[in-house]
Amino acid sequence: MLKFILCDSSESDAVFIRRVIKLIAEKKEYDISFELISYLPSEVQEYISENEGLFVYILETSFGSSEIDGVELAKFIREKDRDSYILFCSKDKEYILKVMTALIRPSGFVIKRYNEGGGLEKLENMQLYIGDIYRDYLNVTQKENVLHINVGPDIYKIEYDQIMYVESFQKKIYIWTKNQRIGYYDKLSSLEEKLGEGFFRCHRSYIVNLNNISKVNFPDMVIEMKNKAKIPISRAQKNGLREILKKYESNIFEREFV
């Protein structure tokens, strides 16, 4: 379960934010809970000093008469907790630069929009940020051999053994499985870290699933996958590929490594 801590100086805003996040979670079937809803940074500081875990912190940037603002609270959180998610939620756009230069690695900045009566009525991109955070949370916490990726508002669950290879093209990542291609925006290096063992980056634009290789032709610098796709090998990765394939050759006799 992904746990949320919400700190906002306005009680009505906090109620609205909680309701929006709960609706997103219900619609997308995210498993979440709210551990703390507070209007004072000091209460959040006290809570995280006494409790450990992976949290999503939803923070306002300004707390009126409080001695610290949301950025200072986020710095305190980062000193105690390097892995949790911090999402700022504020009407003050001028805080964006301060947030981005404060070395606190926020997950995003949600802009509050108010109606003419002064009531909060919209949280820009909240669904997108919550989706990104929940996808990353699943990849971090679930030890099953499954990759979770975010495509728009949807999260795809892809079993590792179904992945043939991954291709980077024009700032998008394309995951080729046994029966489909899924494209989304990300960096190949970021996905490489998530995939880990069993996958090898054979070229600056390609990652292959070592368990789904059919043939490797080193003279022609080409890998043939089980789905007949041909993937190039860069000269820089040739020796590294030879070494890692030695771990697989003894167990997979039908493969041909030339």
Side-chain angles (χ1 to χ4, degrees), residues 86-215:
I86 297 175
L87 185 60
F88 287 96
C89 189
S90 175
K91 65 178 180 180
D92 300 318
K93 288 185 178 181
E94 61 267 23
Y95 268 90
I96 294 178
L97 180 60
K98 185 177 181 181
V99 165
M100 296 307 173
T101 57
L103 301 178
I104 50 181
R105 296 182 291 110
S107 297
F109 197 107
V110 174
I111 300 295
K112 294 179 177 179
R113 298 296 185 190
Y114 294 85
N115 57 33
E116 293 181 356
L120 181 58
E121 65 176 4
K122 184 178 180 181
L123 300 170
E124 289 189 356
N125 296 320
M126 178 64 86
Q127 180 169 304
L128 177 63
Y129 286 127
I130 296 299
D132 286 344
I133 289 170
Y134 197 77
R135 174 205 62 189
D136 190 73
Y137 160 75
L138 292 176
N139 284 324
V140 168
T141 59
Q142 295 193 5
K143 301 304 180 183
E144 57 189 290
N145 290 322
V146 172
L147 176 69
H148 298 86
I149 63 169
N150 220 58
V151 182
D154 300 316
I155 293 179
Y156 283 76
K157 186 175 180 179
I158 308 170
E159 294 181 4
Y160 282 3
D161 62 4
Q162 294 294 312
I163 298 173
M164 292 285 120
Y165 64 95
V166 181
E167 177 185 14
S168 174
F169 182 69
Q170 293 185 346
K171 298 183 179 181
K172 289 190 76 172
I173 298 295
Y174 294 95
I175 298 177
W176 293 81
T177 72
K178 293 180 178 180
N179 52 28
Q180 65 179 326
R181 184 188 76 163
I182 301 170
Y184 67 106
Y185 289 98
D186 200 355
K187 293 182 179 179
L188 198 61
S189 57
S190 175
L191 183 57
E192 184 181 9
E193 292 178 4
K194 295 173 184 176
L195 291 172
E197 292 185 6
F199 291 83
F200 183 79
R201 189 165 180 174
C202 61
H203 186 278
R204 67 180 181 180
S205 299
Y206 292 92
I207 297 173
V208 294
N209 185 340
L210 296 167
N211 290 302
N212 283 327
I213 290 176
S214 177
K215 298 179 183 179

Side-chain angles (χ1 to χ4, degrees), residues 200-203 216-222 233-245 258:
F200 183 79
R201 189 165 180 174
C202 61
H203 186 278
V216 179
N217 188 321
F218 283 107
D220 291 340
M221 305 287 282
V222 171
I233 305 168
S234 71
R235 293 188 182 279
Q237 296 296 80
K238 181 178 178 179
N239 290 336
L241 181 59
R242 279 189 183 277
E243 289 300 314
I244 201 166
L245 285 176
V258 181

